[in-house]
Every structure is written in C-alpha cells, then in structure tokens.
C-alpha cells in the first residue's frame, strides 16, 4: 500500500524547526498514536457506530481512522527568579480507514493544533503562567468515549494557575476553540480550582462568556461548570461534573451556535470513574445525561452509559471488553444504540488499565432501532446506522480488526 504523509511530515518539520535551534536545554518529545485496520463482517471497510445527535461514541473496536499527535516542547531560558520561557508545538494527522493515508483531501487532514509560547512559574503572577498562541487548555475528557465535556482549548492568550490563598486562578481570552472553527468569536474563560472538599477530593469552578459577534441574528451566551475529583476511589479516581449554559453557551465547554438566544438552554451531568482494584483488574465506567431546550422544537435528552473492564491473565496479556448504550429522546422518537466489543490485547508495558502501548484484536457488535435509523438517513446518510450504509436496512452489524494505541512522554 502506498503511504504518502508529506503534509504531516511538513508539519512535524515545522514544529522541530521552531524549537530545536533555540536552546541547548532539553527538548521534550511526547505524542499519541492509534492505527490499525478493520473490516465489516458484511464485507468492505469498517464502518463505525455512533448515534445521530450524540456528541460521542464508545471507542474500543469502534474507531475508523489513523490518528497521531506529535508534540515538541523546548525550554528556551530559565530566569534568575526561577521562571521559565518555553515554546511548544504539536502536529496532528488524521486519515479515514479505507483510503490511502495521505492525511489530506476529502478523507484526511494535517494541522498544527498547538503552537504557543509560555512563561511559567512567574513569581509576579503568584507562580502562575502567562501564555499566548494556539494550545490545548484545561481539557477534561472521558477516555472510553473520547468525550471532551469541558474543553477550553483556545487560540488566544491568558494567565494560568495563579496561586492565591491556597486556590488557583486562571483566565483565558480566545477567538477560536480549535483549528476547525471558521469564525472568530470572542470568548472569556474564568477558572478557580484547588478547593479541598474532603481528604483526596478537590473542587473546581469555571465560567465561560461568549461575546455577541458582529453579525445579524447573533447573540452572546454563557456557561458554568462545577467539577469534583476524588482520588483513591476503588484504587483509581472519580469525577463528577455539573454544567449549565444559555445561548451560545449551550456548547457546554465549547463555543456553541451563536444564532441561539437565551431561550436556548442546556444542562449536563457527567459521572465517571477509573478503578484498579488489583494490579490486573481495572477499568472505567461513565454515565452522562444532557438536556437541551430549544424553542423551535429541537428539544432532546441524551443518555449515555458505558463501561470498559480489563483483566490481565498475565503480565502482558489482557482481555478488554466494552459495553455502551446511547439513547436520545427527541421529537422524532427515541433513538437507541447499544454496542459491545471484546478485544484480546497484548500489553508489553504491563497489566494496568492505563498501561500503553496496547495491540488489540477486536470484534464489535452493535444494534439500533427504527428511530436511530431514520435519524441517520436524514443526518448521516451512508453511515453505519443508515439504510444506505455498510449494513443496509438491517438494524445491527459487526466489525473486526486489529489496532495499536500508544502514548508517550
């Protein structure tokens, strides 16, 4: 198979050129990779299962792309007061299964998703940081569904984690949430964290305000988030987040639709925990509920419940399974999708849930209902759930394949 990655190589080279010549200090190289090949039991390339209208899907044996992030960070100078000036850049590459991995065109892309300068550990900022550029910023996600429920990534500038009175204060001004946001929209994010709620527990609060853009039928909006993290829960950690937003703030962690006014409201509850009860038995569990109110009849309720348990029979061999269910109650009916995956896994780094790399053989089965198929026909023609997709008018389907996942620092 021909592999053409000139776009991604150019980005990676751009990152390296930006940071390598500037200092003799240590260069940090980190990254993430997932790659593989999968097919449908019906024949043809693997087609992944996601409920129309749901912002996430369960990942194991249900990812239909090659994806990589290559990150370089260089400390340029350490000042006499201990503060450090740094540069960081990250290239990301994406390509859909079933297409030549050129990482460009209709089936792929290559982007510089991070490129920013940071002045950290600044005494005048109460050991906080001053930064400017495009960066991943205060991202909170659930691993098994890759759901970034509170993500303040930004193209902008800000001050982060000023330590005042035992708390950490942050402010960011941005104009784009990410590289794919087309319009520049002013956004303000305020965060305060470090509240010791109980032994091993910490509270954090955030407020986002989206300015009214200078265009017709546009509105301002806002959102709030409260989050509690508990370490030492079942050998892992537990996270509970509550979110509410109005207007464009209904993006709940992103800049939402600026044509929505304050009659549009959304709220969300996120609960998930990791466990590692024994060195060989771990996993992650999640429950998400989101309610959207819209005056045009676009109300919907989204439920998502899923679990990924892992058990290691040896130091390097795991059996990983995943069960997930998504449901959306909307005006056109109740859409339902359930998905199950079993994956014998080689884990050379050890038996723990978070140990990587993993090389997985997987089999995935999914089932959905009439309402889900009707919605897919309208919203995602050609997708796995639609009657024009890989499984035709059937309301169930299976995929199998092999995948490697790896992250490093």
């Amino acid at each position: 198979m021909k592999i053409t990655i000139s776009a991604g190589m150019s980005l990676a080279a751009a990152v390296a050129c930006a940071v390598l010549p500037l200092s003799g200090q240590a260069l940090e190289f980190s990254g993430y990779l997932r790659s593989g090949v999968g097919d449908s039991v019906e024949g043809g390339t693997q087609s992944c299962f996601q409920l129309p209208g749901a912002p996430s899907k369960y990942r194991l044996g249900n990812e239909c792309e090659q994806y990589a992030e290559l990150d370089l960070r260089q400390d340029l100078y350490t000042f006499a007061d201990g503060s450090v000036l740094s540069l960081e850049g990250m290239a990301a590459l994406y390509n859909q299964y079933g297409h030549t991995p050129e990482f460009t065109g209709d089936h792929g892309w290559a982007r510089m998703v991070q490129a920013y300068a940071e002045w950290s550990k600044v005494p005048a900022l109460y050991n906080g940081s001053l930064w400017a550029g495009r960066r991943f910023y205060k991202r909170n996600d659930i691993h098994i569904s890759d759901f970034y429920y509170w993500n303040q990534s930004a193209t902008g500038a800000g001050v982060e984690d000023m330590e005042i009175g035992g708390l950490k204060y942050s402010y960011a001004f941005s104009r784009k949430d990410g590289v794919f946001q087309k319009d520049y929209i002013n956004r303000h994010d305020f965060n305060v964290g470090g509240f010791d709620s109980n032994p091993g527990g910490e509270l954090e609060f955030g407020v986002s305000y989206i300015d009214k853009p200078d265009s017709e039928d546009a509105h301002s909006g806002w959102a709030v988030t409260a989050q509690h993290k508990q370490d030492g829960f079942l050998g892992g950690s537990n996270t509970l987040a509550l979110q509410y937003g109005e207007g464009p703030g209904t993006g709940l962690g992103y800049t939402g639709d600026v044509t929505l006014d304050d009659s549009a409201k959304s709220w969300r509850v996120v609960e998930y925990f990791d466990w590692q009860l024994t060195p060989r038995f771990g996993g992650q569990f999640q429950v998400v509920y989101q309610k959207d109110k819209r005056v045009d009849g676009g109300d919907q309720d989204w439920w998502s419940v899923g679990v990924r348990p892992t058990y290691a029979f040896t130091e390097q061999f795991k059996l990983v399974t995943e069960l997930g269910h998504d449901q959306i109650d909307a005006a056109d009916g109740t859409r339902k999708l359930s998905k199950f995956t079993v994956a014998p896994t080689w884990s050379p780094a050890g038996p723990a849930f978070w140990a990587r790399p993993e090389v997985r053989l997987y089999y995935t089965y999914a089932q959905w209902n009439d309402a889900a198929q009707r919605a897919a026909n309208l919203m995602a023609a050609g997708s796995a759930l639609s009657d024009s997709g890989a499984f035709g008018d059937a309301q169930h389907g299976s995929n199998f394949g092999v995948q490697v996942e790896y992250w490093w620092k």
Side-chain angles (χ1 to χ4, degrees), residues 114-266:
Q114 293 198 87
Y116 70 98
E118 182 179 22
W119 184 21
S120 59
K121 303 176 184 178
V122 183
L125 296 176
Y126 302 93
N127 291 319
S129 299
L130 187 67
W131 63 271
R134 175 185 298 160
R135 69 171 293 191
F136 291 165
Y137 177 71
K138 295 191 179 298
R139 302 200 304 168
N140 297 268
D141 78 305
I142 306 174
H143 175 71
I144 62 174
S145 58
D146 212 24
F147 180 38
Y148 285 84
Y149 60 92
W150 190 17
N151 183 1
Q152 300 166 62
S153 296
T155 299
V159 58
E160 182 179 15
D161 290 345
M162 296 188 299
E163 300 176 4
I164 304 173
L167 302 177
K168 293 184 178 180
Y169 295 84
S170 302
Y171 165 73
F173 170 79
S174 64
R175 303 208 65 203
K176 295 183 71 173
D177 282 353
V179 294
F180 293 104
Q181 180 179 314
K182 294 181 180 180
D183 300 321
Y184 289 94
I185 300 170
N186 292 345
R187 174 177 168 140
H188 309 266
D189 285 286
F190 304 87
N191 290 73
V192 55
F195 293 93
D196 294 327
S197 57
N198 59 293
E202 182 177 316
L203 277 168
E204 181 179 6
F205 299 92
V207 177
S208 298
Y209 181 78
I210 298 102
D211 288 339
K212 178 183 179 300
D214 186 18
S215 59
E216 295 183 2
D217 297 325
H219 304 273
S220 61
W222 59 273
V224 293
T225 297
Q227 178 164 275
H228 180 267
K229 286 185 173 289
Q230 182 70 50
D231 289 332
F233 182 80
L234 297 178
S237 62
N238 184 80
T239 301
L240 172 65
L242 307 175
Q243 299 178 279
Y244 176 80
E246 296 186 0
T250 55
L252 296 178
Y254 300 85
T255 300
D257 184 354
V258 296
T259 65
L260 298 177
D261 60 23
D262 58 10
S263 66
K265 309 176 192 301
S266 293

Side-chain angles (χ1 to χ4, degrees), residues 19-20 23-27 72-76 85-88:
V19 298
L20 278 171
S23 173
Q25 300 189 44
L27 176 70
L72 293 174
R73 183 179 177 91
Q74 177 75 65
D75 291 342
L76 303 180
L85 181 64
S86 308
L87 285 180
E88 184 163 352

